[in-house]
Amino acid sequence: MEQNEWVCCPLCGQKTRIRIRGDTVLIRLPLFCPKCKRESLINLRDRKVSVVPQPDAKTQC
């Protein structure tokens, strides 16, 4: 039987509402954390979460 795990927030470390299996691959998923109320872009491969850096907003001239 396949084991499911919860994806943890990369910012605060709490569980989110997303469950994954061992063969799940996510690319540029906008992950929302209900605990810290922040959103981050993540990549997930082999149950390893990495945060995608987002560029800062540019000022208009």
Side-chain angles (χ1 to χ4, degrees), residues 11-49:
L11 304 173
C12 71
Q14 297 295 317
K15 287 193 292 188
T16 61
R17 295 181 179 129
I18 306 286
R19 290 185 75 175
I20 58 166
R21 296 185 345 185
D23 59 349
T24 303
V25 176
L26 300 172
I27 300 172
R28 297 183 53 85
L29 174 76
L31 180 70
F32 177 76
C33 177
K35 177 76 175 179
C36 65
K37 308 276 192 275
R38 292 187 280 184
E39 187 176 284
S40 57
L41 278 178
I42 64 165
N43 291 335
L44 183 130
R45 183 178 301 265
D46 298 328
R47 296 184 180 178
K48 304 284 188 219
V49 176

